[in-house]
Amino acid sequence: MDKILVQSLTFPTRRAAETEPGTVPGSDLRRGQIVVFKRPLDPNKIAVKRIVGIPGDRVQPLPGYGGGDEPVVVQYNHLWVEGDVDNREKSVDSNWYGPISQHLVLGKVVLLLEPWYRPKAIRIEEHKYPAKQKGRVEEDAVREASLDFDEVERSNSFKDGRVLRDLEMVRDN
């Protein structure tokens, strides 16, 4: 059994104004990173998987996915995680339970400590995980899915004049 060193994470309650491409809004999580998270179907247990899709990505699930065979768009505040095997029967991951909330993530793996006397840093850019190799992830496919719905709704209200009409109505009454 491998031992890992995990850097714990906290997430802001609101989306950061600017994020680096390929990262999750409001955090430094990236495609390819290995994360530790509470299992969605049993929060008393934890799992260690690789981030395959971030908000706005379109992921083609493996055959047998409960949501059907159509590509899945990863929504705001969610991640698509998979093990490093391209076999749904060997890894209980998003191919079983769909995208996970980023708030289930406890931390990211930064070091592999096996053997303990020769720790190895995790370099995400060096690893070609199966979903990436087989082209099952379309990065940034649906921009709207990566946006916070509350922020979009607020900005649209100002664009179409709804807020001004509501303010005028309140003022007139």
Side-chain angles (χ1 to χ4, degrees):
M1 176 180 283
D2 292 338
K3 292 169 183 47
I4 55 177
L5 179 65
V6 177
Q7 177 184 0
S8 66
L9 299 174
T10 58
F11 294 98
T13 55
R14 281 283 165 212
R15 178 190 167 119
E18 289 293 320
T19 57
E20 197 174 317
T23 62
V24 174
S27 77
D28 64 345
L29 292 177
R30 301 174 171 276
R31 288 179 205 93
Q33 278 184 323
I34 301 171
V35 292
V36 176
F37 59 95
K38 292 181 181 182
R39 291 177 57 180
L41 303 178
D42 186 357
N44 294 322
K45 295 182 180 178
I46 62 169
V48 179
K49 303 290 178 193
R50 187 176 301 276
I51 297 173
V52 170
I54 62 172
D57 289 354
R58 185 178 290 130
V59 180
Q60 178 63 54
L62 294 173
Y65 173 62
D69 294 331
E70 295 298 313
V72 176
V73 174
V74 181
Q75 297 296 318
Y76 175 77
N77 205 25
H78 287 76
L79 304 167
W80 186 274
V81 294
E82 292 186 1
D84 280 348
V85 295
D86 204 24
N87 184 332
R88 186 173 177 274
E89 300 304 318
K90 293 184 180 179
S91 178
V92 178
D93 52 29
S94 287
N95 287 295
W96 281 91
Y97 42 71
I100 66 165
S101 169
Q102 77 176 15
H103 295 290
L104 292 174
V105 176
L106 302 171
K108 60 184 179 180
V109 176
V110 292
L111 283 176
L112 178 61
L113 302 172
E114 193 67 29
W116 65 268
Y117 54 84
R118 191 178 306 148
K120 180 181 176 186
I122 304 294
R123 292 179 178 41
I124 60 173
E125 63 278 353
E126 293 176 0
H127 190 74
K128 305 291 185 242
Y129 44 94
K132 184 176 184 177
Q133 286 177 329
K134 296 193 175 181
R136 292 193 300 110
V137 180
E138 185 181 348
E139 297 178 358
D140 303 316
V142 184
R143 183 182 177 281
E144 293 78 22
S146 67
L147 302 175
D148 180 349
F149 180 75
D150 292 336
E151 295 296 323
V152 172
E153 185 63 30
R154 232 178 270 130
S155 67
N156 285 342
S157 332
F158 283 100
K159 285 181 187 172
D160 68 8
R162 273 188 282 166
V163 169
L164 291 176
R165 284 192 305 275
D166 291 346
L167 287 174
E168 286 175 11
M169 190 170 64
V170 168
R171 186 181 56 197
D172 293 342
N173 290 332

